[in-house]
Amino acid sequence: MSAHPPRGPRGQATIRDVAREAGVSIATISRVFNQSARVSEETRHRVRDTAARLGYWPNGAARSLITRRTHALGALLPELHGEFFSEVIRGMDLAARRHGFHLIVSSSHADAAELLAALRSMRGRVDGLIAMTPDPGTPAAMDAFAPGLPMVLLNPGSPVRHADTLAIANVEGARAMVRHLARLGHRRIAFVCGPAHNIDAAQRLRGYRQALRAAGLEPRETPGAFTEASGYEAAKELLRAAPRPDAIFAANDAMATGVLGALREAGVRVPDDVAVAGFDDIVSAAWLDPPLTTVRVEPSRLGDLAVERLLEAIAAPADLRRRHEVVATTLVVRRSCGAAARAGATDGVGAPAGATADGNRSAHDGRIHPRRRAAPRTEVRS
C-alpha cells in the first residue's frame, strides 16, 4: 500500500482510492457498504478499516439510488416541545440508532392539511414513517397516502387500513384515576379537559365521564389546552365555584402542574384541601411538590415501540396484515392525592395492581416496587 494514496479532485478519498488501497474491486466496496452477504468477513473488515483510515464514506444519495433505501426514518409529531414529545422523540431516536437508522423529525402542528404536506416532503427521503395524528379527520386522509410507504400511526383514534397503529389506553387510564379518587372519598371530582378536536383529550374525557356515571357522581368540566398556563387558569376558575371541587383531575401532567401552581398561590393545601391528579407521568411529575399522582403512558417506550413496529413493516413489505395495538397505562400513586395513607389497592390498566413509578410506594402493601411494563394488546387484521 502506498504511504500517500491518491485522492479525489477535492482532496477527499474516493471509492477508487479505497479499492486500490484494500486491493479489491469497486464492486466489492459497494457490496460492503450496501451490507451484501456476498463478501467475506475478512474482506469486509479490510475494506472498512481502509475506508476509516482514508476518511471515506459513501454518498448516501448515490447509495439510495442503488439500494432504494435511505436508512432514515421519518417522524411527524403535532408538537416538538414539552416533556411528553421530547420523551417520545428520545425513545424513537434510541431505537433507530440501535438498528443503524437515522431519525428525521418534523412538526405537523396537528392540522390535517399541514400533516399531509409534511408527509409529501418526506416521501423519497425516508424508508418509513411514524406519525402522531391527534386530529380526528386525519386518519382517513392518510389512508390514501399510506400505500407504498411503511407507516405507523400513533393513536389515530380508529384503525387505518394501510398502516399499523399504536394507541394509548386513554379511556381505561382515565376511568382508573376517577375510580381511585372516588375510593378516597372524593365526590366533587373536576376534570380539566384537553384541546377540542384532539383524540387523546376526547378519549380521556370519555373515560372520566364513564367512571363518574358508574359512581353516581356529577361531572365538573372546564376547558384546557394541554399547557401549564391553561391548567393554571382552569384551577382559578374551579376555585371560584361553589362548592369548589375536592379533587381536580387534569387531562395531562402539564396542566396538572399549572393546577398545582394556582392552588399554591391561592393558599389551598394539596392534598389536604384539594387532591390533584394528571395523565402521562412525565419525568418531572415525580419531582413536583407534592409529587403528582398520574396515569403512566411511558412516552419513550411508545417511541421505541413505534420504531420497532415500523422496522418490522419495512423488513416485510409484502405482508399486508396491519396491526392495531393498544399500549396499556398504569395508575401511579403519589402524594398529591394523599393516597399513600388513605387508599386501598392501586388500579393498573393492563398491569399488575400496585405498579408505581420508581421510588414510590404501592398503596396496597407499602413496599417499594421496581418499574413494571405492561405489554400492549395486539389485533392483527388482513
Side-chain angles (χ1 to χ4, degrees), residues 74-96 103 105-106 130-133 152-155 166 168 200 204 280-283 297-308:
L76 295 177
L77 302 174
E79 300 288 347
L80 299 183
H81 68 275
E83 282 191 59
F84 181 86
F85 291 108
S86 67
E87 283 295 295
V88 171
I89 293 170
R90 184 174 72 89
M92 289 180 183
D93 185 55
L94 290 173
L103 187 68
V105 182
S106 180
I130 300 166
M132 181 171 280
T133 54
V152 173
L153 303 185
L154 299 181
N155 216 38
L166 280 174
I168 299 167
D200 291 289
R204 293 171 191 184
D280 286 338
D281 196 25
I282 59 177
V283 174
V297 172
E298 290 195 88
S300 63
R301 179 178 172 244
L302 185 66
D304 182 295
L305 190 58
V307 167
E308 294 291 343

Side-chain angles (χ1 to χ4, degrees), residues 183-263:
R183 274 205 309 272
L184 293 176
H186 299 295
R187 291 297 175 263
R188 301 186 300 277
I189 304 171
F191 187 70
V192 183
C193 304
H197 310 300
N198 180 285
I199 292 170
D200 291 289
Q203 291 174 343
R204 293 171 191 184
L205 177 59
R206 190 189 317 153
Y208 163 79
R209 289 173 173 172
Q210 289 176 359
L212 278 187
R213 281 198 303 270
L217 303 176
E218 291 295 320
R220 293 172 171 232
E221 299 164 12
T222 189
F226 277 172
T227 63
E228 290 90 343
S230 68
Y232 175 86
E233 293 299 329
K236 288 174 62 177
E237 179 180 335
L238 289 168
L239 288 176
R240 291 192 289 268
R244 73 184 184 193
D246 54 16
I248 300 176
F249 175 23
N252 78 343
D253 288 348
M255 293 193 299
T257 301
V259 168
L260 287 172
L263 297 182

